[in-house]
Amino acid sequence: MKKSIKWLWGALLLVLLMVGGWYGYQRFIRPSISQQQQVKRVEKRHVKLVAVGDSLTYGQGDEKKNGGYVGIIKQKIQDKYKKTSVSTVNYGVSGDRSDQILARLNKQAEMRKDLRDADVIVMTVGGNDLMQTLEKDIMMQSQAKIQSSVNQAQGTYENKLNQLFTAVRKENKHAPIFVMSIYNPVYTYFPDVAAINDSINQWNQATQSVTKKYSKMHFVSIYKVMSYGQYQTKAQRQQLIQQEEKVNHGKVQQSQLLSIMSNKNHNLNEYISSEDNFHPNNLGYQHMASRLFKSMVKYDSWEFVRE
């Protein structure tokens, strides 16, 4: 009987200690931890955005001469963050491959300085690397040969991309970097030609895979919005495929590609410039900027200081 009473008192004491400990944690310790974690974030007075890349960063095809997505993203930042002024520096050069962008970075001291001073960095890269391969091989009738050629080129591309990203990170270890994908500019004409679609998707996967190796680096896909254009639903794309099968039977003819490129003032994709039927027009750049800005808002360390 005495043992039972002692056990009961012991159990009661243990319960009281647990309750008291829980109350003390909730009343004193937890608020203290919470206060430490609640760091006030204040919008920066000024943000410097540095854009690096190829013709998509340069803004080729923008009929409004607004600087492509770079000019649009500047306005989007200022519209959302009212207290912030934005300056942009554009190091986009049409036709540049990844190794050529790196060569410019190594040669241009001003470019390196701007990267060091950047609060946020945006990049377009990879399209010209892939085009170098596809221009030689896209007329092959063998899907297997095209795939083999792209596989071989991919390893070289990933090595070049690593060198470029490492060089950019060497100049700026803290600014978030947003890298945009490439897209299929002739999808609306050849929606069921796997050789093109598969190669571009594979290239994007390679870029995304390399991007993941670096801290504060984010991959932004523009493939669907820019490739599909206004044909964003599955039913709309299926209709495109049915039309294309009747005409091309799933194959690409060189004469057809040349005809598309030279067909001024018209493109089936309303987001593609009718000047060259390859680069985005202003509407296309707006869609690119929207995808980019969505990611920038999600990873917004570039916009705030902590107090």
Side-chain angles (χ1 to χ4, degrees):
M1 186 68 175
K2 290 182 179 181
K3 289 183 178 181
S4 298
I5 294 173
K6 287 182 178 180
W7 180 89
L8 182 62
W9 278 108
L12 182 61
L13 180 61
L14 180 60
V15 169
L16 290 172
L17 287 172
M18 291 174 64
V19 171
W22 178 85
Y23 175 80
Y25 173 79
Q26 295 291 332
R27 179 67 177 84
F28 301 106
I29 299 176
R30 185 177 177 181
S32 177
I33 295 174
S34 179
Q35 288 172 5
Q36 292 175 11
Q37 291 176 340
Q38 289 177 359
V39 179
K40 186 178 180 181
R41 301 201 315 163
V42 179
E43 288 182 23
K44 291 179 181 176
R45 293 290 183 183
H46 178 76
V47 165
K48 182 173 183 176
L49 182 148
V50 177
V52 176
D54 48 33
S55 55
L56 296 183
T57 290
Y58 174 76
Q60 187 167 338
D62 182 1
E63 72 276 13
K64 294 188 177 181
K65 308 300 181 185
N66 193 36
Y69 78 83
V70 179
I72 298 168
I73 203 70
K74 175 180 179 178
Q75 191 60 51
K76 281 183 174 293
I77 294 171
Q78 292 181 155
D79 287 346
K80 181 174 178 61
Y81 304 104
K82 306 297 185 182
K83 298 178 181 179
T84 303
S85 65
V86 182
S87 63
T88 61
V89 186
N90 192 329
Y91 286 103
V93 173
S94 295
D96 263 13
R97 301 184 307 271
S98 54
D99 56 315
Q100 293 171 317
I101 298 171
L102 175 61
R104 283 195 287 120
L105 190 155
N106 289 332
K107 291 178 181 178
Q108 297 178 13
E110 186 177 359
M111 183 177 180
R112 295 195 298 274
K113 181 182 184 303
D114 280 326
L115 283 171
R116 287 194 295 273
D117 295 340
D119 296 292
V120 58
I121 300 167
V122 293
M123 298 178 67
T124 59
V125 61
N128 295 305
D129 296 74
L130 180 59
M131 282 297 297
Q132 190 176 50
T133 299
L134 290 183
E135 282 177 346
K136 297 181 297 182
D137 302 331
I138 197 60
M139 301 309 165
M140 293 178 179
Q141 298 302 311
S142 171
Q143 175 72 28
K145 288 182 179 179
I146 296 174
Q147 185 66 59
S148 176
S149 182
V150 172
N151 287 343
Q152 185 176 357
Q154 179 183 333
T156 302
Y157 169 63
E158 289 179 347
N159 288 334
K160 291 179 178 179
L161 203 58
N162 267 309
Q163 293 175 35
L164 174 61
F165 288 172
T166 298
V168 173
R169 263 289 169 246
K170 180 182 177 182
E171 300 303 327
N172 193 319
K173 294 179 173 59
H174 307 292
I177 302 174
F178 298 87
V179 182
M180 282 188 274
S181 74
I182 61 174
Y183 61 92
N184 182 354
V186 294
Y187 175 88
T188 51
Y189 292 91
F190 306 103
D192 66 335
V193 178
I196 302 176
N197 296 324
D198 292 350
S199 297
I200 292 173
N201 282 321
Q202 180 177 339
W203 216 249
N204 281 332
Q205 289 170 10
T207 302
Q208 185 173 19
S209 177
V210 176
T211 299
K212 288 180 178 178
K213 297 178 182 179
Y214 296 82
S215 64
K216 293 185 179 180
M217 188 174 284
H218 312 287
F219 181 78
V220 180
S221 179
I222 60 168
Y223 175 82
K224 289 182 179 180
V225 66
M226 288 306 304
S227 299
Y228 301 162
Q230 71 272 28
Y231 304 97
Q232 290 294 311
T233 69
K234 187 175 181 180
Q236 288 172 327
R237 294 194 298 275
Q238 189 59 42
Q239 186 176 5
L240 275 178
I241 291 172
Q242 291 171 355
Q243 292 172 354
E244 193 274 337
E245 285 176 341
K246 293 178 182 178
V247 177
N248 303 316
H249 307 290
K251 296 180 180 180
V252 180
Q253 301 293 333
Q254 186 174 17
S255 59
Q256 292 170 311
L257 282 175
L258 291 174
S259 176
I260 292 169
M261 294 300 122
S262 61
N263 186 16
K264 302 293 184 182
N265 303 317
H266 175 71
N267 195 292
L268 286 178
N269 186 337
E270 293 179 358
Y271 303 168
I272 300 294
S273 170
S274 58
E275 281 296 309
D276 61 11
N277 292 303
F278 189 91
H279 292 92
N281 55 23
N282 184 263
L283 180 58
Y285 280 119
Q286 288 182 40
H287 283 287
M288 283 178 60
S290 292
R291 295 301 188 278
L292 172 61
F293 191 57
K294 183 177 180 180
S295 185
M296 289 176 68
V297 171
K298 182 178 180 181
Y299 304 103
D300 63 357
S301 60
W302 53 271
E303 169 57 25
F304 295 95
V305 293
R306 298 180 181 274
E307 292 186 346

